[in-house]
Amino acid sequence: MTFLLENGLKRNDSRANSSLQISTKVRQPSCTNACVALTEDRRNVFLYVFLFCRENSIGDVTSCGSVSHSSGGGRNENRQKPVRGKRKTREGSENVKRKHSRSSNGSLGRAENKHLKNGDTEAVTLFEVVTMGRAAMQAVVDDWIDAYVADRDGALLDLISFFIQCSGCKGLVTAEMFQSRQDTDVMSKMVEDVDEGTGLQYKKFLAFPWILTVTWPMDADGGEYPLTTCGAYWKRFRSQFCEFVSVLVTQCQYSIVFDSYLMSTLISLLTELSDSRVRAFRHTCTLAGMKLISALVNVGLNLSVSVDNSQRLHEVEQAKTPTKRAVPRLERIRRKISELQDRKLEIENMMDAIFKGIFLKRYRDAVPEIRAICLEELAVWMRLYSSVFLNDSNLKYVGWMLYDKQSDVRLKCVLGLQTLYEDTQLSPKMDLFTVRFKERIVSMTLDKDHEVAVQAMRLVMVISQSCDEVLSQKDYSQLFQCVFASHRPLSATAGEFLCSRSVLLTAPDPVSSDGATEEQRNRAITLKRVRTLLQFYQESGLHQHVLYLVDSLWDCAGALLRDWASLTSLLLLHPSSPSPSSSQEEEGFLIEILLASVRQAAEGPPLARRGTGKRGPVVSCKEKKSQVDECPGWSDHLLKVLPELLIKFSEDKEKMTSLLKIPQYFHMDACSERPTRPLQALLAQMEAAVNRHSDAELLEAAARSYQSLCSEGSAWPSLASSNMDQLVQRWVRHLGTLLEEALKVSGFVDHQTGEIQLTLQKITIFQNTQDLSKMGLYELGTRLLVVETQRGGVPVEVTVEALRCVCYSTLWKLNTFGEVSSSRETALHRRNQLRSCCEKCHRCLTHPEQQVREQAFMSLCDVLIAHNYQLLTWDPSAGAPLLYTLDPKLQKALLTFTVDHVFSGADTDTGESEVGASRQEDLHRRRNLLAAYCKLIVHSVLEMSMAAEIFKHYVKYFNDFGDIIKETLNRTRQMDKIESARTLVLCLQQLFLRLKQEQDSGNTCSSGVQTYSSIKELARRLSLTFGWDQVKSRESLAMIHRDGIDFVFQGFSQQAERHCPPYVSYLTILSEFSIKLLKPDKKTVYGYLQKYTGEHAINNREECWLPLIYYRASLQATGEGEDAVSFISSDASPSNPSRSSSARQLQTVLNGTGAVSIPDEQRPVAREPAALESASEMRANNDEVDVDTV
């Protein structure tokens, strides 16, 4: 006996959103059959579950699962069934009905006792109560269990609707009782298809004892659902959903789980929905299935404990004598053991069914979140229930997914393996897995995702501790190289691994010599550890990276690196001492370690060019305070020891350079006693060092240390300043004497040249760090440059230092000008000095020596940029600004110098060139020159049109200077989009005209003239710099097309001229920018083109008009995947479409009467530009898009 179900969908015209209403009609064949149906067992009737979830936004929880009730009273929204006899029908929702039995529950009672204004009780479903929070979880599960005991079918239908609601389903669920077990065709009816007539999707599947049919709109596949919805509320929902599954199984573990009804239905439901094509079903039900296994694992563990306890009771009872043995009790224990073992086997069968039905299908799902869930839970099962899950058959899934292209999946695998290897009882069972996937795990330490790389390094550490012989020496060498990685968490983890495998953290054997003092033993221990560290540093082959090594070891080996007394005592140890001493190489390495440790202790872990992967600070406030508190101790210790170290290593310039950098990090203001004698000794040794040595790096280190000691934050600025002033004054007087002698004899003697150059070099290095204008250095440098310009004969080294001296003096005057109000005479005097400095540098641009020319160029760029900055930050209260206008001849000289000295040499983009030290130095020098010139354009010192000559070489020298040119282009576009577009047009037109001129003269193209194909490629590459935001670039692109069309058709009359314009081939180059136009803008540009060309010109198929045809076709290619070639064969010209508002705005730009007005909401937020000096920050940030193909 059956009922016929008619589901009709009709439009509700009264609602504006045209929502769907579902009407259900039950047509009975006859009255007799109906009476029979009503008296039959209730298992033979249809159960209907209606589920209406929220609309597109999952914002209102109370709207989920709401239904429209008839006026005759509220029926259960989840099901509707006939009753037998006087059985009371269920009023309202399932939770409202149960409130009478459990009204004392706190949170649930409060949830149930909500009342509307009209006195009716608001419906509360399982989904709504679960979303209330964990406080109501226990109560709602207990209520559901009570309902399940009273009405098993109804409670199960509530649970089914709960899981479908959690999937965000926006449709209808119909439950039909499965009656005939002999129906062999029932499985063939279980389908998932699309009804194109109604626009609905449906899935019909068997969840014993029902056949469920889920119907939902076709557009629901791409929408959000609770597990993917953003916001803190829905993030908590995930944990509450998992908690509900866990609590449900925990509360049912003693009886209901084993009734062969609840779990069969639940497993069937989750298995079928997790196999759906709809992502929401797969994701939600896979998560529920995995959490269900985890809950069953806990039940199995409890049963295992009960079995063990019963086994011990049985053994105790069995060990008793026959007279004291209670046979009935023994039988009860045996029956209990048998029952517990049967239940345990049943639990394992349930887990096996879910594992095979869900995990084996979904661990390789196309959605990475689903794969991550499966692998994360599998690791939990293997750790908790190793007797069933921890085997090679299951470990292989984790090993395979280590190769997953999504970082989240790889991370879950690595984290799960860490928990397995950390357990000493489980690690021996993973020997085969370790051998099979060791190579992959080691390679993951170089993963592109930083978090995966860090956790992979920790996994290798755990493996090396549990399986000592697994990793080879080659593996260790590769892993230890990560201490020099640019990502600090990875390098710190590698440093911890290095410490655990060496003696840096372990205490060496004490010194065996009799009579050794505690100091000698500590010195021997420190020396042994330093030698171990030196051995690793030498074997790594990455020299000049001691600072990175110390930064990596700072967290794990800080006790060694902060042992200032031991480190300095090793350096001060005399070779004849009975204690073990260090060699020359060890002393040099130890000094580098000491310098790096001092810098780390003073400035903290954030090291330059080493990222942390975190937005916040690396060090907490507590750690920062501890770091500041430690500074006085080591500053005072090194202040006393450093003079002795400078005396001992006074002849070694490399060691002296490192030692002279240490005072830069002193926190002298933190010293309480502030002793003057150690400082005087230090200043005396620093003065002796700069007088004895001539190395530029050593002098630079000393000058920086003097600057630090003379700063206002220092403890003795006056003492250090007076000492430095006296030192520099002696050099200035000595230099003046030498110059007087040299100029008297009208020439520089060889022995005088070196001394003059050395003294002048020391002065300029110190002048770079301190303002020494009061010593007359500007006049001194100007005198040398005047002699070189008028008579010549000044050595190259002296001329270069004189240029630096004049440049630094001018920069210091620009820096201090405007701090106080100055008179007109002072302003005129300084402006004359600025003009004089620029003129002298301008004359040196044509010097026969390249070194002089380059120094003059760099000095000139620095002075002009500083002058521009002074104008921007000028305070009007200080008087009139220091104005200086750049001479046009100087502008041209700067451009000529840049082109001649930067864009010279072989084309490195078209062939392999030998990369050596000399070429790298030359490339670095040329990059600095180009960056200096580009700064002049970016800072508006030069006109933006001066960049056109630079943009011409974008393609040819892309490998060497592409990042600098591209960053300059981006900066100019941020300054003025229209002017930047004109610069690009000027660049292309100049190249085209030069090529046209060469071709018209009949000469072959010289090496300095680019070919037509190279110009077209340059246009293509320049068009790519506009990015994907076409709205942001509308004005610029419109200007490019307008100027290009005007350039081609200038002076062309379509009535009088029969021949094509001479520059018509430029349209092919211009067509490279058509792809960046919006579709309506292409039509507008095409209309602007029509003003110059008539129908006879467009329909003309002569060869000379092919560029025009190609350009017209590029403007007509509006479809995706279409290009100009697709329209070249078209004969009919397109009709002029109606102009939209945006098209009319673009027309104003094309006519030159205005600019495109873009609404504010369409304007992208401008990003902060990167620094010109950093090449790595100039490169384009191309996001990698991974597409799932699993």
Side-chain angles (χ1 to χ4, degrees):
M1 187 64 59
T2 60
F3 287 98
L4 301 178
L5 177 66
E6 296 180 359
N7 291 334
L9 302 179
K10 61 180 180 179
R11 296 285 181 182
N12 185 6
D13 298 331
S14 63
R15 298 188 61 179
N17 58 357
S18 301
S19 60
L20 293 179
Q21 287 188 345
I22 303 179
S23 62
T24 305
K25 298 180 181 179
V26 179
R27 183 180 62 202
Q28 303 183 11
S30 62
C31 181
T32 305
N33 293 337
C35 294
V36 173
L38 291 174
T39 57
E40 283 185 348
D41 188 85
R42 58 192 178 91
R43 290 178 298 175
N44 296 331
V45 300
F46 290 100
L47 301 176
Y48 308 107
V49 181
F50 299 99
L51 178 61
F52 299 89
C53 287
R54 65 202 183 291
E55 298 299 330
N56 295 333
S57 176
I58 315 178
D60 189 4
V61 179
T62 60
S63 66
C64 300
S66 61
V67 296
S68 299
H69 300 284
S70 62
S71 60
R75 301 287 295 175
N76 185 357
E77 75 278 8
N78 288 329
R79 62 172 186 262
Q80 193 177 29
K81 65 175 184 177
V83 298
R84 182 175 57 186
K86 295 183 179 181
R87 182 176 177 86
K88 185 177 180 180
T89 58
R90 297 183 58 182
E91 297 289 334
S93 68
E94 67 275 21
N95 289 324
V96 174
K97 178 180 180 295
R98 300 183 197 122
K99 72 176 180 177
H100 303 288
S101 61
R102 301 188 62 87
S103 60
S104 61
N105 289 335
S107 57
L108 182 61
R110 289 190 296 271
E112 290 175 346
N113 288 306
K114 297 180 185 177
H115 288 79
L116 302 177
K117 293 182 179 180
N118 56 4
D120 296 334
T121 305
E122 183 180 356
V124 180
T125 63
L126 275 176
F127 177 80
E128 294 171 349
V129 177
V130 168
T131 54
M132 291 178 185
R134 295 187 176 184
M137 198 71 64
Q138 188 76 23
V140 72
V141 171
D142 291 341
D143 273 0
W144 185 88
I145 293 175
D146 294 342
Y148 181 83
V149 174
D151 185 4
R152 185 169 65 177
D153 293 339
L156 269 180
L157 289 175
D158 292 338
L159 189 61
I160 291 173
S161 64
F162 164 74
F163 283 109
I164 297 179
Q165 275 185 294
C166 291
S167 301
C169 178
K170 296 180 291 186
L172 170 70
V173 181
T174 305
E176 176 184 351
M177 185 65 68
F178 175 58
Q179 302 178 16
S180 177
R181 293 177 178 269
Q182 289 75 25
D183 190 358
T184 58
D185 297 334
V186 66
M187 297 308 298
S188 62
K189 301 175 184 178
M190 307 295 112
V191 294
E192 180 175 358
D193 207 343
V194 178
D195 188 352
E196 298 181 356
T198 60
L200 298 175
Q201 302 180 74
Y202 65 91
K203 180 178 178 62
K204 188 174 184 180
F205 58 93
L206 176 63
F208 188 82
W210 294 293
I211 298 176
L212 299 178
T213 303
V214 184
T215 307
W216 66 94
M218 294 180 61
D219 59 351
D221 293 353
E224 289 185 341
Y225 49 95
L227 291 183
T228 59
T229 306
C230 301
Y233 179 85
W234 292 108
K235 288 182 179 179
R236 292 193 301 268
F237 169 79
R238 177 190 176 99
S239 61
Q240 295 162 7
F241 175 72
C242 299
E243 182 70 14
F244 173 79
V245 176
S246 178
V247 173
L248 178 64
V249 176
T250 302
Q251 296 299 100
C252 300
Q253 64 177 322
Y254 298 108
S255 59
I256 300 179
V257 170
F258 305 100
D259 65 353
S260 301
Y261 194 78
L262 169 65
M263 296 305 298
S264 298
T265 304
L266 193 55
I267 292 174
S268 300
L269 172 71
L270 298 179
T271 302
E272 290 295 335
L273 289 181
S274 65
D275 198 28
S276 173
R277 290 178 296 185
V278 181
R279 171 176 175 171
F281 286 148
R282 291 202 320 274
H283 192 179
T284 306
C285 294
T286 299
L287 176 61
M290 298 300 99
K291 292 299 179 180
L292 185 59
I293 295 183
S294 299
L296 292 175
V297 164
N298 293 327
V299 175
L301 292 175
N302 294 334
L303 291 174
S304 299
V305 173
S306 300
V307 169
D308 294 339
N309 294 335
S310 300
Q311 289 284 4
R312 285 194 293 270
L313 288 176
H314 183 271
E315 293 174 0
V316 171
E317 193 69 28
Q318 190 71 27
K320 294 181 180 180
T321 59
T323 57
K324 296 183 179 181
R325 186 183 305 164
V327 178
R329 176 179 174 83
L330 193 60
E331 290 298 328
R332 286 196 304 270
I333 294 175
R334 289 174 181 172
R335 286 195 301 270
K336 183 178 180 180
I337 293 175
S338 178
E339 180 183 355
L340 291 174
Q341 289 177 345
D342 292 341
R343 287 193 171 189
K344 181 180 177 183
L345 180 60
E346 187 174 354
I347 290 294
E348 292 177 357
N349 291 336
M350 294 178 190
M351 292 188 294
D352 185 66
I354 303 175
F355 185 84
K356 293 180 179 178
I358 299 180
F359 178 86
L360 293 183
K361 297 179 181 178
R362 300 277 69 83
Y363 85 93
R364 58 179 185 272
D365 194 276
V367 180
E369 290 85 355
I370 298 178
R371 301 198 300 270
I373 290 172
C374 294
L375 273 301
E376 181 181 12
E377 295 301 319
L378 177 60
V380 175
W381 308 334
M382 290 189 293
R383 178 174 55 86
L384 297 179
Y385 211 45
S386 58
S387 59
V388 175
F389 289 100
L390 185 56
N391 50 58
D392 294 332
S393 298
N394 293 337
L395 283 171
K396 66 183 179 183
Y397 302 123
V398 181
W400 291 345
M401 301 313 291
L402 289 174
Y403 295 89
D404 196 277
K405 59 186 175 182
Q406 292 295 329
S407 59
D408 291 339
V409 182
R410 300 194 302 271
L411 181 61
K412 296 298 182 183
C413 295
V414 173
L415 292 176
L417 290 175
Q418 286 182 15
T419 60
L420 297 177
Y421 279 105
E422 287 173 353
D423 195 331
T424 56
Q425 297 180 355
L426 302 180
S427 56
K429 300 180 181 180
M430 304 179 65
D431 293 340
L432 183 60
F433 173 85
T434 305
V435 175
R436 171 64 180 82
F437 293 100
K438 182 202 71 171
E439 183 178 353
R440 172 56 184 166
I441 294 174
V442 172
S443 66
M444 289 181 71
T445 57
L446 303 177
D447 197 279
K448 65 179 182 180
D449 185 85
H450 294 314
E451 184 63 24
V452 176
V454 171
Q455 297 303 329
M457 183 64 69
R458 295 195 178 277
L459 175 59
V460 173
M461 290 175 55
V462 177
I463 293 176
S464 65
Q465 295 171 1
S466 59
C467 310
D468 192 18
E469 299 180 355
V470 172
L471 299 176
S472 62
Q473 191 62 33
K474 182 179 179 181
D475 295 333
Y476 283 119
S477 300
Q478 176 183 344
L479 294 170
F480 291 158
Q481 294 296 320
C482 293
V483 297
F484 300 104
S486 59
H487 186 61
R488 191 178 189 276
L490 176 60
S491 62
T493 308
E496 183 181 352
F497 189 22
L498 174 63
C499 291
S500 64
R501 297 297 301 179
S502 63
V503 297
L504 296 180
L505 291 181
T506 59
D509 297 334
V511 179
S512 59
S513 59
D514 297 335
T517 62
E518 184 68 22
E519 182 181 358
Q520 291 176 345
R521 284 195 294 268
N522 292 337
R523 189 184 299 120
I525 292 174
T526 304
L527 181 59
K528 184 176 181 180
R529 290 178 174 177
V530 169
R531 285 174 176 172
T532 303
L533 197 59
L534 175 61
Q535 181 181 359
F536 163 73
Y537 182 70
Q538 291 175 340
E539 292 176 354
S540 64
L542 297 175
H543 297 284
Q544 299 179 358
H545 290 78
V546 179
L547 189 58
Y548 288 90
L549 178 62
V550 170
D551 182 56
S552 302
L553 299 175
W554 190 252
D555 297 332
C556 57
L560 169 65
L561 300 175
R562 284 190 285 262
D563 191 359
W564 314 109
S566 298
L567 293 177
T568 53
S569 62
L570 282 176
L571 290 174
L572 292 173
L573 195 62
H574 196 272
S576 61
S577 175
S579 300
S581 59
S582 54
S583 62
Q584 293 289 333
E585 186 177 8
E586 292 173 350
E587 287 178 345
F589 178 71
L590 193 56
I591 291 176
E592 293 293 333
I593 290 290
L594 179 62
L595 173 61
S597 300
V598 168
R599 193 221 69 86
Q600 196 78 0
E603 298 181 356
L607 193 63
R609 298 178 299 276
R610 173 165 276 186
T612 61
K614 300 179 181 179
R615 294 184 180 180
V618 179
V619 242
S620 62
C621 296
K622 183 178 180 180
E623 294 174 345
K624 189 67 176 177
K625 183 179 182 302
S626 176
Q627 171 186 327
V628 173
D629 294 340
E630 292 177 359
C631 288
W634 61 260
S635 297
D636 182 65
H637 174 76
L638 292 177
L639 179 62
K640 298 176 181 178
V641 175
L642 191 57
E644 301 178 21
L645 294 175
L646 292 175
I647 294 174
K648 180 179 179 180
F649 302 103
S650 59
E651 300 299 330
D652 194 329
K653 65 178 182 179
E654 294 181 358
K655 297 177 183 178
M656 288 289 292
T657 301
S658 300
L659 291 173
L660 286 174
K661 292 179 181 179
I662 293 179
Q664 302 175 21
Y665 306 103
F666 280 173
H667 283 217
M668 305 304 298
D669 54 341
C671 297
S672 57
E673 298 180 358
R674 298 185 179 182
T676 57
R677 182 173 299 178
L679 180 63
Q680 291 175 352
L682 176 61
L683 293 175
Q685 295 304 321
M686 291 175 60
E687 181 179 350
V690 295
N691 287 328
R692 182 182 298 110
H693 296 278
S694 60
D695 183 69
E697 187 176 358
L698 184 146
L699 296 174
E700 179 71 21
R704 295 297 179 185
S705 296
Y706 270 111
Q707 180 187 15
S708 177
L709 295 175
C710 297
S711 62
E712 295 180 357
S714 177
W716 311 275
S718 58
L719 181 60
S721 298
S722 61
N723 183 277
M724 189 193 68
D725 290 343
Q726 294 175 7
L727 176 64
V728 176
Q729 286 176 359
R730 287 196 297 269
W731 290 341
V732 173
R733 288 194 298 266
H734 182 60
L735 178 61
T737 304
L738 294 176
L739 290 179
E740 290 293 338
E741 295 178 358
L743 296 178
K744 283 181 181 180
V745 297
S746 301
F748 288 83
V749 186
D750 293 340
H751 69 276
Q752 289 182 341
T753 302
E755 193 171 357
I756 292 174
Q757 188 268 335
L758 177 59
T759 307
L760 188 57
Q761 180 185 11
K762 292 179 180 180
I763 293 175
T764 53
I765 290 176
F766 274 74
Q767 190 184 12
N768 188 26
T769 60
Q770 296 288 331
D771 185 8
L772 305 177
S773 303
K774 57 184 178 181
M775 299 185 182
L777 298 180
Y778 178 84
E779 292 76 10
L780 193 64
T782 304
R783 184 179 179 184
L784 285 171
L785 294 179
V786 170
V787 172
E788 170 62 20
T789 305
Q790 295 178 353
R791 298 186 305 178
V794 179
V796 176
E797 296 81 3
V798 177
T799 306
V800 170
E801 296 300 333
L803 284 170
R804 290 176 180 169
C805 183
V806 172
C807 174
Y808 292 156
S809 299
T810 307
L811 291 176
W812 279 112
K813 290 178 181 178
L814 288 173
N815 183 53
T816 56
F817 185 75
E819 293 181 354
V820 294
S821 181
S822 58
S823 61
R824 179 177 178 83
E825 292 76 10
T826 304
L828 291 175
H829 176 68
R830 295 198 175 184
R831 185 174 64 179
N832 292 333
Q833 284 186 345
L834 175 62
R835 180 182 293 108
S836 175
C837 175
C838 294
E839 290 176 354
K840 290 178 175 59
C841 292
H842 186 189
R843 295 191 190 98
C844 292
L845 289 178
T846 57
H847 196 276
E849 294 294 335
Q850 180 179 356
Q851 189 177 359
V852 177
R853 296 196 302 269
E854 292 181 357
Q855 181 59 47
F857 178 81
M858 297 298 295
S859 300
L860 189 57
C861 292
D862 292 340
V863 169
L864 292 175
I865 293 175
H867 172 255
N868 180 77
Y869 178 78
Q870 182 259 343
L871 293 178
L872 294 177
T873 59
W874 180 256
D875 186 6
S877 61
L882 190 63
L883 299 177
Y884 172 70
T885 304
L886 203 61
D887 186 10
K889 294 183 179 180
L890 180 56
Q891 297 184 26
K892 185 176 180 180
L894 290 171
L895 177 60
T896 304
F897 178 88
T898 304
V899 174
D900 294 342
H901 289 75
V902 175
F903 302 107
S904 59
D907 185 0
T908 58
D909 191 42
T910 58
E912 296 182 359
S913 58
E914 181 180 0
V915 180
S918 59
R919 184 190 178 278
Q920 290 297 326
E921 293 177 0
D922 179 70
L923 178 61
H924 180 69
R925 176 184 57 80
R926 292 159 62 193
R927 285 176 61 87
N928 287 338
L929 296 176
L930 178 61
Y933 181 80
C934 292
K935 288 179 187 178
L936 297 177
I937 298 174
V938 169
H939 292 282
S940 302
V941 178
L942 298 178
E943 296 180 357
M944 196 177 296
S945 59
M946 301 289 287
E949 196 68 29
I950 304 299
F951 295 157
K952 296 177 182 178
H953 305 277
Y954 179 60
V955 175
K956 184 177 181 181
Y957 293 94
F958 182 79
N959 287 348
D960 294 338
F961 314 115
D963 53 349
I964 301 177
I965 299 176
K966 186 174 182 180
E967 180 63 20
T968 305
L969 181 59
N970 293 334
R971 293 285 190 92
T972 56
R973 193 169 293 157
Q974 293 172 6
M975 295 164 55
D976 190 342
K977 292 187 292 185
I978 301 300
E979 190 63 28
S980 177
R982 288 197 179 99
T983 304
L984 295 182
V985 171
L986 178 63
C987 167
L988 296 174
Q989 290 179 0
Q990 287 179 354
L991 290 174
F992 179 80
L993 290 175
R994 187 174 180 183
L995 176 63
K996 188 73 175 176
Q997 190 177 18
E998 290 285 334
Q999 292 176 347
D1000 293 343
S1001 62
N1003 300 329
T1004 57
C1005 294
S1006 60
S1007 59
V1009 180
Q1010 298 189 26
T1011 61
Y1012 186 80
S1013 59
S1014 63
I1015 300 176
K1016 191 172 183 295
E1017 175 64 17
L1018 175 61
R1020 186 187 71 83
R1021 298 285 285 272
L1022 292 177
S1023 68
L1024 295 178
T1025 60
F1026 285 97
W1028 295 102
D1029 193 348
Q1030 295 175 310
V1031 175
K1032 183 179 179 181
S1033 307
R1034 288 184 70 189
E1035 299 173 348
S1036 303
L1037 293 170
M1039 183 62 62
I1040 290 175
H1041 283 275
R1042 191 197 71 176
D1043 288 359
I1045 294 174
D1046 293 342
F1047 171 73
V1048 172
F1049 294 100
Q1050 54 184 347
F1052 175 76
S1053 176
Q1054 56 179 336
Q1055 289 82 12
E1057 299 289 342
R1058 293 185 178 181
H1059 301 287
C1060 63
Y1063 302 150
V1064 70
S1065 57
Y1066 181 78
L1067 292 176
T1068 306
I1069 300 174
L1070 188 61
S1071 64
E1072 296 294 338
F1073 295 91
S1074 299
I1075 192 174
K1076 293 297 181 179
L1077 288 172
L1078 294 172
K1079 293 180 181 179
D1081 296 346
K1082 289 184 178 181
K1083 299 177 182 178
T1084 307
V1085 173
Y1086 181 82
Y1088 186 79
L1089 179 66
Q1090 290 289 82
K1091 295 181 179 180
Y1092 292 95
T1093 60
E1095 293 295 330
H1096 68 281
I1098 294 179
N1099 295 327
N1100 197 330
R1101 290 300 174 182
E1102 296 181 4
E1103 184 178 358
C1104 63
W1105 289 102
L1106 287 180
L1108 175 61
I1109 298 173
Y1110 188 89
Y1111 179 61
R1112 179 177 63 91
S1114 68
L1115 297 176
Q1116 290 178 313
T1118 58
E1120 295 184 0
E1122 297 178 352
D1123 54 6
V1125 181
S1126 306
F1127 289 87
I1128 288 181
S1129 59
S1130 176
D1131 294 329
S1133 61
S1135 59
N1136 190 11
S1138 60
R1139 302 289 179 87
S1140 62
S1141 60
S1142 60
R1144 287 192 299 270
Q1145 290 176 350
L1146 182 65
Q1147 186 64 47
T1148 61
V1149 178
L1150 294 174
N1151 294 333
T1153 59
V1156 178
S1157 177
I1158 302 177
D1160 292 337
E1161 60 270 10
Q1162 296 183 2
R1163 294 182 182 272
V1165 179
R1167 297 181 178 178
E1168 186 67 18
L1172 271 172
E1173 292 82 355
S1174 178
S1176 60
E1177 296 178 356
M1178 294 184 210
R1179 302 191 181 278
N1181 184 14
N1182 298 324
D1183 296 332
E1184 180 180 355
V1185 179
D1186 291 333
V1187 181
D1188 292 316
T1189 58
V1190 179

